[in-house]
Amino acid sequence: AVAQEPFWADLQPRVALVERGGSLWLNCSTNCPRPERGGLETSLRRNGTQRGLRWLARQLVDIREPESQPVCFFRCARRTLQARGLIRTFQRPDRVELVPLPAWQPVGENFTLSCRVPGAGPRGSLTLSLLRGTQELIRRGFSGEPPRARGAVLTATVLARREDHGANFSCRAELDLRPHGLGLFANSSAPRELRTFALPLDPPHLTAPRLLEVGAERPVSCSLDGLFPASEAEVYLALGDQRLSPDVTLQGDALRATATATAGHEHEGTRQLVCNVTLGGESRETWENVTVYSFPAPRLALSDPNAPEGHLVTVTCTGGAQARVTLEGIPAAVPGQPVQLQINVTEDDDKRDFFCDAALEVDGETLSKNESAELRVLYAPRLDDSGCPRSWTWPEGPEQTLRCEARGNPAPSVHCARPDGAARPERQRVSRQDAGTYQCVATNAHGTDSRTVTVGVE
């Protein structure tokens, strides 16, 4: 109390700590027996007042100022009696905010953790901690700050590691008012997940054909090692404006994407095959030139694939517009021009194979394709010594069959009989009666041929 002997004024509570927005009753009193007047001076909002002869009580509400000093006064015997108080507010750490982390953080590089606790205080009673999971990375108190200071920020630099991928980071704030007779008020931010990644500087390795034929399917592959986490990587494979659908396989930190490349006539020419691997918002890309070409197989045509003997047959070999064809070793004069061969067919041409070869120059490389066709010559039967000897000698007793074979197309049927028309049964035991002369006749749709054979029995 401020005493004016023998009188004084008193204010209770002299020092108070109130939660921001709260209320407080102040009691202002004096020992002056008959004070002339008295009051309580403050800038804070008042809600109600109670009075007595030597006292008054006033309720202060919605207290928001960090610090205020109300004054209790009385007028007594022409003197002013005064008592000053001190009211401070505190605010719990209701808002604890961890600044958003990078969407992706490269392994081996530093990133910043920053925690904000706006409005909480007094700051001197605050302690902030940054945590990785349950592990405390840094802790800082703010003792010694001015009583009116509110809010706090804590920042730390952290080195990103592989094992930090998927880890939760958070901030914890503690407002310790236990020295003031109050409690410990604590709160934590919502956790934020960190995603770390590693992407090598080298571009992917692309395996692709240098040449791709229209309508053909060829495998392509793209691989990259040293990725983390490889499962999060995205692969883009495209041939020109045609996006491919790769199958991606992972093995540790290695990625391999395989796809099948095909192209139509509209893609002919030089096209870029592009492989792009994206991870953590960064990309690595490589490309190769692929030449798309059209090379239809040559066509080999026989004017009559089944020609009678003596007829004229035309053989034609045709290729694509840019291909040079060769028929039976005879080349075309210029690419795109056909080659023809005409022959009067004989028995020797039966089952003859003709070959048509086509060659195409693509991007400095010579490609080739071929086609073949078989000619069948239709001719009458022919009996000769190779298939039907004129003389046969059989030992008496064992089984024997008189059978001649004839050439001809279609294959002729052959029948052997005695001049009187009697035919010898097949696989019959040889006797002296089998000896003699036989007439063998070969027949097909184009004629007949006959031969006399003699059988001797010993």
Side-chain angles (χ1 to χ4, degrees):
V2 178
Q4 296 289 337
E5 291 297 341
F7 304 118
W8 44 257
D10 188 28
L11 179 64
Q12 293 296 330
R14 180 63 60 84
V15 178
L17 189 60
V18 181
E19 186 167 6
R20 187 173 185 269
S23 61
L24 176 69
W25 279 94
L26 289 180
N27 191 345
C28 177
S29 60
T30 182
N31 65 345
C32 178
R34 302 184 71 82
E36 298 175 14
R37 62 185 180 89
L40 183 64
E41 292 181 349
T42 178
S43 60
L44 302 177
R45 288 178 56 192
R46 296 167 290 224
N47 187 42
T49 303
Q50 298 177 5
R51 286 182 179 273
L53 177 62
R54 295 193 299 272
W55 63 273
L56 70 86
R58 181 165 291 164
Q59 185 184 32
L60 306 179
V61 296
D62 194 22
I63 303 173
R64 294 184 175 275
E65 295 182 16
E67 184 177 291
S68 61
Q69 296 183 7
V71 177
C72 167
F73 68 93
F74 287 94
R75 184 74 174 168
C76 179
R78 298 182 181 179
R79 293 180 181 273
T80 300
L81 310 177
Q82 287 186 345
R84 288 183 178 273
L86 178 61
I87 301 175
R88 288 178 175 154
T89 59
F90 72 91
Q91 183 171 336
R92 306 181 192 219
D94 294 327
R95 290 173 56 197
V96 182
E97 303 170 351
L98 185 65
V99 173
L101 302 177
W104 285 94
Q105 175 63 33
V107 170
E109 295 185 14
N110 290 327
F111 68 100
T112 300
L113 286 176
S114 183
C115 175
R116 297 173 59 250
V117 187
R123 185 185 299 160
S125 299
L126 272 174
T127 300
L128 301 186
S129 303
L130 291 170
L131 300 98
R132 174 170 50 213
T134 58
Q135 177 192 7
E136 189 172 81
L137 300 176
I138 185 172
R139 181 181 181 88
R140 180 187 172 188
F142 297 88
S143 60
E145 291 282 337
R148 299 178 66 88
R150 295 292 185 268
V153 175
L154 177 60
T155 300
T157 300
V158 181
L159 182 67
R161 311 170 302 170
R162 277 197 175 205
E163 51 266 39
D164 290 334
H165 181 68
N168 285 323
F169 290 80
S170 61
C171 175
R172 178 176 172 82
E174 296 177 351
L175 182 65
D176 190 1
L177 300 181
R178 289 175 293 187
H180 303 283
L182 299 175
L184 175 68
F185 303 98
N187 194 15
S188 296
S189 69
R192 294 192 183 273
E193 183 181 356
L194 181 68
R195 296 194 294 175
T196 62
F197 76 99
L199 184 62
L201 295 176
D202 295 333
H205 177 69
L206 185 60
T207 303
R210 193 171 63 87
L211 307 177
L212 178 62
E213 186 177 0
V214 169
E217 293 184 347
R218 296 290 301 276
V220 298
S221 67
C222 177
S223 58
L224 186 60
D225 201 358
L227 292 165
F228 174 81
S231 59
E232 297 281 351
E234 296 180 356
V235 181
Y236 172 83
L237 263 177
L239 177 61
D241 58 359
Q242 178 188 192
R243 184 166 184 173
L244 307 182
S245 300
D247 292 325
V248 179
T249 56
L250 306 175
Q251 187 173 2
D253 292 345
L255 173 150
R256 179 179 173 85
T258 57
T260 299
T262 186
H265 290 284
E266 67 276 13
H267 300 116
E268 286 190 49
T270 301
R271 294 287 181 267
Q272 269 194 355
L273 181 67
V274 177
C275 176
N276 181 292
V277 179
T278 301
L279 178 61
E282 297 184 13
S283 297
R284 300 291 182 265
E285 185 172 288
T286 189
W287 57 271
E288 295 283 350
N289 280 335
V290 176
T291 300
V292 179
Y293 67 95
S294 177
F295 186 16
R299 298 182 300 279
L300 183 59
L302 303 178
S303 61
D304 190 352
N306 297 282
E309 188 176 22
H311 280 218
L312 184 67
V313 174
T314 301
V315 184
T316 304
C317 174
T318 308
Q322 304 300 321
R324 184 187 294 270
V325 295
T326 301
L327 175 61
E328 296 295 292
I330 303 172
V334 294
Q337 183 178 10
V339 178
Q340 283 190 337
L341 180 65
Q342 290 186 324
I343 56 173
N344 284 311
V345 298
T346 66
E347 174 191 349
D348 294 337
D349 293 318
D350 187 35
K351 296 186 179 180
R352 177 178 173 181
D353 287 323
F354 292 89
F355 294 92
C356 173
D357 298 295
L360 180 68
E361 188 83 14
V362 180
D363 197 21
E365 185 173 338
T366 301
L367 307 177
S368 63
K369 290 186 176 183
N370 59 71
E371 184 69 29
S372 64
E374 184 184 68
L375 174 64
R376 296 306 307 271
V377 178
L378 306 177
Y379 59 96
R382 288 174 173 77
L383 287 168
D384 56 24
D385 289 342
S386 64
C388 190
R390 292 184 180 276
S391 178
W392 301 65
T393 302
W394 291 340
E396 185 177 7
E399 295 180 350
Q400 293 286 352
T401 299
L402 180 59
R403 179 179 296 153
C404 278
E405 294 182 354
R407 302 193 316 276
N409 189 22
S413 63
V414 182
H415 178 72
C416 295
R418 289 184 180 275
D420 60 3
R424 183 181 184 277
E426 293 186 3
R427 301 190 63 82
Q428 177 178 285
R429 288 184 178 277
V430 177
S431 66
R432 295 289 179 178
Q433 287 78 14
D434 291 327
T437 300
Y438 293 82
Q439 188 74 18
C440 293
V441 179
T443 305
N444 69 7
H446 296 275
T448 61
D449 192 16
S450 64
R451 168 170 278 216
T452 300
V453 299
T454 301
V455 175
V457 178
E458 296 179 348

